[in-house]
Amino acid sequence: MIRRCHLAGLLILPLAGCGPSPDPAAAPDPAVLVSVVRPQQGSLPQLIESYGTASPSANGQVTLSVPQPGQVTSIAVTPGAAVRAGQPIMTFAVSPSARASFLQAAEAFRVAQEQRRTTAQLLTQQLATRDQVAQAEKAVADARTTLAALQAEGAGAAATTLRAPFAGVVSTISAAPGDRTQPGQALATVARAGALVVTVGIDSALRDRLRIGATARLQRLDGGASSPAVPGRVVRVDAMLNPHTRQIDVDIGYPAGALLSGEAMRVSIEIGRASGWLVPHRAVATTADGKAQIFQVAGGRAKAVPVMVIATTAEQDAVTGPIEPARPSVVDGAYQVSAGDAVRTGKAP
């Protein structure tokens, strides 16, 4: 049935009836559904984050070489291979000239010994003097020293096998089969198992807050946040700036076998603990001017509370500020509400 309204003799057919229009300002505010938690006092670790790569420590690797010229005849491993102590790395043939020097020294030692025996017999027959016997003894000693030195340098054998000095990983192979090398040339490098470290650069202003033995967490960059963290400890803090990065180099040790050499890592080093109000990380919002704040529920409405973040983790923040412990803090929805907005509360997941 259509209602009719008469105004000044005119018949008006309204669409929805007669009467005053509703006042939009009188409509109740739409309440935002948020989840809340009660703020609690506690502490969180203060962390320094940096990035680095797993590599052998300065004193955790050995370079294999031969102090004689020669030729690499065969190689038994490849770079990156795990080796046990004493395992063959490569075979090396001493050059003919170095081998000849050893044989000459061995012959000189034999002749000196014969000469000493002869001189000693002549002395008993009073055909030689004691000075001559002393000279013969010195000749034997000199020949023995020369022979021992050549033997220690590897010239005593026509071929020698270079072996791993300990269990570890072959870092580099610097020669190929058939290569002729000079005395002392680096042929291979072996890193000790468990002697790998992650070296990171830290701002020099933070050096005084670092200490040997401080705990650290290492996260693989390739694996993302889902990869398990590896525990570590600070084992070295440099006392000088790295000339390339202009930062302090810090070595982080970790359990043997936990990482592979060359892996890129994100490192978090604990330098202390900060005490304050603990709130979920997603409860902290940022104002337009970059300041941090949280929202607490007071009388069904959101109240903005300025805070200062003093420590943070992936899940929680430690903050200071005029927080009311009896009022719940907004968690989910903190970025959707403004000060004074009506809210409906639920529990944080």
Side-chain angles (χ1 to χ4, degrees):
M1 179 177 181
I2 299 177
R3 296 176 57 194
R4 293 174 171 79
C5 297
H6 296 271
L7 180 61
L10 297 177
L11 179 63
I12 300 176
L13 301 178
L15 294 177
C18 300
S21 300
D23 184 4
D29 293 340
V32 180
L33 178 62
V34 297
S35 62
V36 296
V37 294
R38 293 283 181 180
Q40 296 180 345
Q41 289 278 1
S43 65
L44 289 179
Q46 292 179 308
L47 303 174
I48 298 176
E49 286 200 346
S50 189
Y51 298 85
T53 303
S55 59
S57 61
N59 60 352
Q61 59 183 358
V62 170
T63 298
L64 304 181
S65 63
V66 177
Q68 295 290 338
Q71 184 178 30
V72 176
T73 56
S74 64
I75 298 177
V77 296
T78 58
V83 293
R84 62 184 182 278
Q87 181 174 337
I89 303 296
M90 65 176 58
T91 303
F92 183 87
V94 177
S95 69
S97 59
R99 180 63 177 163
S101 298
F102 174 81
L103 295 177
Q104 290 172 358
E107 180 63 19
F109 178 58
R110 187 190 66 79
V111 171
Q113 288 179 311
E114 290 290 342
Q115 185 65 37
R116 181 185 58 182
R117 283 194 293 268
T118 300
T119 305
Q121 290 177 355
L122 292 176
L123 178 63
T124 60
Q125 300 172 9
Q126 298 183 352
L127 297 176
T129 64
R130 294 187 180 276
D131 288 341
Q132 290 175 321
V133 173
Q135 292 174 2
E137 290 285 355
K138 184 178 183 306
V140 171
D142 291 345
R144 181 186 293 112
T145 301
T146 301
L147 180 63
L150 290 172
Q151 193 164 14
E153 291 177 351
T160 184
T161 300
L162 303 183
R163 301 179 181 274
F166 40 66
V169 177
V170 178
S171 300
T172 60
I173 297 291
S174 306
D179 285 355
R180 295 189 179 276
T181 62
Q182 297 301 313
Q185 179 177 329
L187 301 177
T189 303
V190 181
R192 188 187 301 273
L196 293 176
V197 297
V198 175
T199 301
V200 298
I202 301 296
D203 191 326
S204 59
L206 300 173
R207 186 181 183 278
D208 291 341
R209 306 193 64 182
L210 295 168
R211 59 181 177 82
I212 302 298
T215 59
R217 296 174 73 246
L218 299 93
Q219 194 85 34
R220 290 179 173 88
L221 292 182
D222 293 341
S226 61
S227 64
V230 177
R233 289 191 177 275
V234 175
V235 296
R236 183 181 69 91
V237 179
D238 257 2
M240 61 179 292
L241 288 177
N242 184 308
H244 302 291
T245 64
R246 307 304 297 171
Q247 292 183 316
I248 299 294
D249 282 346
V250 178
D251 285 348
I252 311 298
Y254 53 85
L259 301 176
L260 298 177
S261 179
E263 282 195 285
M265 309 296 297
R266 180 174 67 248
V267 179
S268 300
I269 305 173
E270 183 175 335
I271 58 174
R273 297 192 71 84
S275 298
W277 293 103
L278 300 185
V279 295
H281 185 62
R282 60 187 187 275
V284 181
T286 305
T287 63
D289 55 0
K291 296 181 179 179
Q293 66 178 5
I294 68 170
F295 290 97
Q296 291 192 283
V297 179
R301 293 187 177 275
K303 177 184 178 182
V305 180
V307 295
M308 177 180 293
V309 179
I310 57 176
T312 184
T313 66
E315 298 81 20
Q316 284 185 309
D317 289 347
V319 302
T320 58
I323 294 175
E324 293 290 341
R327 293 175 177 172
S329 299
V330 175
V331 181
D332 294 316
Y335 280 86
Q336 284 74 45
V337 299
S338 300
D341 286 353
V343 295
R344 292 182 294 126
T345 60
K347 292 184 178 179

